[in-house]
Amino acid sequence: MTSRIPEAGVRIPADVTRIVVLEGPEDKTFFSALAEQLGINDQLHFITCNGKDCLGSTLENILNDGNFHGIQQIGIICDNDFPDSRDGRGALETVQDEIDEANNAIDESLKTTRKLPRPRKPRETEGTKPKVSVLLLPDDHRDGMLENLVLDAIGEDNITNCVDAYYACLESQAQVKLQKAREPRSRLSVYISGKIVDKTYATNDDSRRWFLTQAVDMKWWKDEKMWDKPQFKPAKAFLRQLLKP
């Protein structure tokens, strides 16, 4: 049974019609910035659930909220976790189970009028009001997380070649046993550190930015037009989909 830790901060403003539920603050920062680029940030309400294990409690709070009937769409964005952290379940299956738990856990007096549908496939909406959809990161068919998606968008350059060599050295020379579930976040951090010491970019606030949440505000992110990378098209489409009637 999944542990249910209520998120006391979940309160839905009366004018909210579209909600995006994300696993953590880094995801929220990234997708808020992406929505800002699309010009739709003010139409979406972002909520973090502190990991999929707490998704059910967050959805339960949404179901119990007094403004629930105003919600038209709920988008759930989560990592397509590595096998070691799945406990035998796929990421979509985990989300479906958390939705079921939320539906079963709400106040008895509300169960006849409030229920969340279970999405059968990633990126496809299910139900009517509210509609629910799920976006898996980096994509539907690959283990990983948001950092994998960003690394895909960065592609190969002089710094990524050095990052690859660094991790090859860790494994072969230092005999470090790499944990695949932690490697993407670590790789991206190493990549960003390369940008920080680059004379072209190591100026002003950029020299103190080390993490993905800060990278989206860095000069190189803008100079390289990262938001225009094709790897982010599915994420953009997912956010836009939440605004459809």
Side-chain angles (χ1 to χ4, degrees):
M1 178 65 69
T2 301
S3 60
R4 305 188 63 77
I5 305 174
E7 184 181 321
V10 173
R11 293 293 182 270
I12 303 172
D15 60 344
V16 167
T17 60
R18 271 81 178 174
I19 290 177
V20 184
V21 181
L22 308 107
E23 289 197 56
E26 287 194 349
D27 307 88
K28 180 178 179 180
T29 298
F30 180 87
F31 279 94
S32 294
L34 179 57
E36 188 71 36
Q37 290 294 312
L38 298 174
I40 60 175
N41 193 46
D42 60 343
Q43 300 177 63
L44 301 171
H45 184 66
F46 294 89
I47 295 174
T48 58
C49 63
N50 300 317
K52 279 193 290 296
D53 286 347
C54 296
L55 174 60
S57 62
T58 300
L59 295 176
E60 177 188 341
N61 285 342
I62 292 173
L63 281 163
N64 283 324
D65 194 280
N67 292 319
F68 173 78
H69 289 299
I71 303 170
Q72 297 181 29
Q73 292 224 39
I74 298 175
I76 299 170
I77 300 176
C78 58
D79 296 337
N80 201 3
D81 293 316
F82 295 89
D84 290 346
S85 60
R86 286 183 183 170
D87 296 326
R89 297 185 298 172
L92 179 61
E93 183 183 357
T94 300
V95 172
Q96 292 170 335
D97 290 346
E98 293 294 307
I99 289 174
D100 288 342
E101 285 195 29
N103 287 332
N104 292 328
I106 62 171
D107 189 282
E108 287 292 334
S109 63
L110 301 176
K111 285 186 177 180
T112 58
T113 59
R114 302 188 184 190
K115 186 176 182 180
L116 297 177
R118 302 167 84 249
R120 289 173 287 184
K121 295 181 180 180
R123 295 181 287 120
E124 293 186 6
T125 58
E126 195 74 32
T128 53
K129 190 177 179 182
K131 297 178 181 178
V132 176
S133 53
V134 178
L135 176 68
L136 300 180
L137 303 173
D139 55 51
D140 303 350
H141 309 292
R142 186 162 49 118
D143 299 329
M145 56 184 67
L146 174 58
E147 284 78 4
N148 288 98
L149 180 61
V150 176
L151 288 168
D152 289 346
I154 290 170
E156 291 187 9
D157 62 15
N158 291 337
I159 294 180
T160 56
N161 292 335
C162 291
V163 173
D164 290 342
Y166 169 68
Y167 278 89
C169 179
L170 285 179
E171 198 163 21
S172 63
Q173 301 298 318
Q175 302 298 306
V176 171
K177 296 180 180 178
L178 301 178
Q179 295 187 40
K180 294 301 181 183
R182 295 184 181 180
E183 190 175 329
R185 187 167 294 154
S186 176
R187 277 181 175 269
L188 185 57
S189 181
V190 173
Y191 181 87
I192 293 171
S193 71
K195 291 293 190 181
I196 288 172
V197 297
D198 186 334
K199 188 176 180 180
T200 305
Y201 299 109
T203 58
N204 303 322
D205 289 341
D206 277 8
S207 63
R208 295 186 291 275
R209 289 172 170 149
W210 290 85
F211 306 105
L212 173 58
T213 50
Q214 300 168 316
V216 296
D217 292 321
M218 293 177 74
K219 185 176 184 295
W220 68 268
W221 188 279
K222 296 179 176 66
D223 286 354
E224 296 175 24
K225 298 181 179 179
M226 288 294 294
W227 290 126
D228 295 334
K229 299 288 186 176
Q231 288 80 4
F232 295 140
K233 283 185 177 180
K236 291 178 180 178
F238 183 81
L239 293 180
R240 290 193 180 106
Q241 173 182 287
L242 296 177
L243 302 182
K244 294 182 179 179

